[in-house]
Amino acid sequence: QVTLWLKKLYGSVPIPEYEVNERTVDILHEIMESNEERDKDVMLLIEDMKDRTSKYEAEADYMHDILGESLGFVEGSMSKEANDDLTDLVQSAIELEVEDTSLTSFYSAINDMTLELYKTKSNNEEMEQKLRTLTKKLTSALMVEKQLEEDIEKLKKSQIAQQVKAETQSKNMKFLEDKSKDLKIRICDAEAKLIASGLDQSLTHEALVKSSEELAALREEIKPLKMELASYLDLPPVTIYSTVML
């Protein structure tokens, strides 16, 4: 079937070479069936157009006979102006898609077309309003997007600066910690050497720190006594003597 169809399709022209297998044959068979269905539809359409043409020609002959016999219109007897008016009338009837050329049909068609025009204008105005609204929203959204992009860029730069600062602080902290450990080691080594050379242990760093803490505690303890003493010093001498005697 496919081979016969290809021969019929190409006629006297040689059929192009193609790989013959199950897949290519199936594809060609589908194309063949589709073309045959299309050809059938085209033939039906042609037959319908021929039938309509015959009907229109018969109706035209009938109308021609009526115009000639009943109204006395003979082809070529009307003036150019009358022919032009008749042509305009027919063209208007076709454009308005009226059933006949009566004034009622024309007025009805014109009213329908006018109403459709108003509806179209109203729809266009509504669409323009929606378009303006959408354009405004889009413009606002684009501005917000641009602002967000700028904020994100600023945040990235700020984060980079903070990261660099944090890294610097971390390095400084690490340096200070290492330096502190090194100094502690040096102090311990120096104290050990001093103690080994006969230095009193009460003069070592730990002992001095402990003494300083004890001194601070004693100062806190004598603060109330100093305050009480100050209150006595503010009194007149007689009052002080009486208070001491009591």
Side-chain angles (χ1 to χ4, degrees), residues 29-225:
H29 190 269
E30 290 181 2
I31 296 174
M32 179 192 72
E33 290 181 342
S34 177
N35 284 347
E36 288 178 349
E37 290 294 330
R38 184 190 62 184
D39 292 341
K40 289 179 181 179
D41 294 338
V42 171
M43 292 303 296
L44 291 174
L45 181 60
I46 292 173
E47 291 297 329
D48 182 64
M49 294 300 293
K50 287 181 178 179
D51 184 59
R52 290 189 180 188
T53 302
S54 300
K55 290 181 179 179
Y56 291 152
E57 288 177 351
E59 187 175 355
D61 293 337
Y62 175 72
M63 296 299 295
H64 185 271
D65 293 339
I66 291 177
L67 290 173
E69 295 176 2
S70 301
L71 302 177
F73 285 143
V74 181
E75 187 175 357
S77 63
M78 291 189 299
S79 64
K80 182 179 183 301
E81 184 178 358
N83 280 325
D84 292 341
D85 291 340
L86 183 60
T87 302
D88 292 339
L89 182 65
V90 172
Q91 189 64 34
S92 299
I94 294 173
E95 292 292 336
L96 294 173
E97 298 180 355
V98 295
E99 296 180 356
D100 51 49
T101 55
S102 64
L103 289 177
T104 303
S105 297
F106 275 113
Y107 284 145
S108 178
I110 291 172
N111 287 334
D112 292 341
M113 186 172 288
T114 303
L115 180 61
E116 187 67 26
L117 177 62
Y118 287 148
K119 288 182 180 179
T120 303
K121 287 184 177 179
S122 177
N123 291 334
N124 288 340
E125 290 176 357
E126 184 178 353
M127 291 299 294
E128 288 177 358
Q129 181 63 33
K130 289 182 179 180
L131 180 61
R132 286 193 292 268
T133 303
L134 290 175
T135 303
K136 185 177 180 181
K137 290 182 178 180
L138 179 60
T139 303
S140 177
L142 291 175
M143 292 178 63
V144 172
E145 181 182 7
K146 183 178 180 182
Q147 185 63 42
L148 287 175
E149 290 177 353
E150 292 177 356
D151 292 341
I152 291 173
E153 190 65 26
K154 290 180 181 178
L155 181 60
K156 287 182 179 178
K157 292 181 179 180
S158 175
Q159 288 178 343
I160 293 173
Q162 290 179 357
Q163 184 177 0
V164 171
K165 184 177 180 180
E167 291 177 355
T168 303
Q169 290 178 347
S170 178
K171 290 179 180 179
N172 292 337
M173 183 66 69
K174 182 68 167 56
F175 172 78
L176 292 175
E177 289 178 352
D178 294 341
K179 192 69 175 177
S180 176
K181 291 179 181 179
D182 181 63
L183 290 174
K184 287 181 179 179
I185 293 173
R186 290 185 180 183
I187 291 171
C188 290
D189 292 342
E191 288 179 350
K193 290 180 180 180
L194 290 173
I195 291 172
S197 62
L199 178 67
D200 188 355
Q201 290 189 0
S202 61
L203 298 177
T204 62
H205 177 71
E206 292 181 358
L208 293 174
V209 170
K210 185 176 181 181
S211 298
S212 177
E213 293 175 351
E214 292 176 351
L215 178 60
L218 289 174
R219 285 178 178 176
E220 290 294 327
E221 291 179 0
I222 64 174
K223 274 184 180 181
L225 298 176

